[in-house]
Amino acid sequence: MKAAPSGPGRVRVLDYVAAVTVTAGGQALRLGGVALPNRRLVLRWLRRQALRLADAHGHHLSPPAPWLGARDARPVTFHGSDAPEALRAWAGDHGSQDHAMSALESGRPALLTVVDPFVGLRVTLGAWPVDLCGWVTAASASRPYTPRTETEEG
């Protein structure tokens, strides 16, 4: 996890998560996801998934990257070429990548949704920061922490 300043003298811990989901007929299914220590790695993972999904259109899917192993998203069958082309365009557009990086840097999610209009299939690639330190602080403010101690019975 990466520590980033959050006001004078305070530090907050950031971790980033990314996921690929598909929605069809009102049902959502997660195809894959990761938690990574910085936004550059998260965007690298999302670009790879976008290209893998686009390149799998009409072909066999490439094997997972050795550095990611089995965390690659499962493939989707598209019925037209609109969604794969939109995925390729997003992955290759430096302006889109800069916009996603800025969103993550400011604490907002970076999302891309493409639609296969022939069947109403929606594929969403998303990443967002997770402020674990802030979450722990907020949780402990509402419920005081009492340390557990072990006692010997004898």
Side-chain angles (χ1 to χ4, degrees), residues 50 53-54 57 76 78-89 112-118 121-123:
L53 292 171
H57 179 63
V76 172
F78 294 108
H79 295 84
S81 62
D82 293 348
E85 289 306 315
L87 289 168
R88 273 192 205 91
L112 168 71
T113 299
V114 296
V115 178
D116 185 345
F118 294 103
L121 184 76
R122 300 171 58 87
V123 176

Side-chain angles (χ1 to χ4, degrees), residues 30-97:
R30 185 174 152 211
L31 299 176
V34 292
L36 294 166
N38 67 58
R39 60 187 173 269
R40 291 195 188 284
L41 288 176
V42 164
L43 285 178
R44 180 179 174 185
W45 186 84
L46 284 177
R47 278 193 308 271
R48 176 172 164 71
Q49 301 316 304
L51 292 173
R52 286 183 78 246
L53 292 171
D55 292 345
H57 179 63
H59 301 92
H60 293 294
L61 201 56
S62 60
W67 62 275
L68 281 176
R71 293 187 291 179
D72 280 335
R74 289 178 285 180
V76 172
T77 302
F78 294 108
H79 295 84
S81 62
D82 293 348
E85 289 306 315
L87 289 168
R88 273 192 205 91
W90 178 83
D93 181 25
H94 294 294
S96 294
Q97 301 308 308

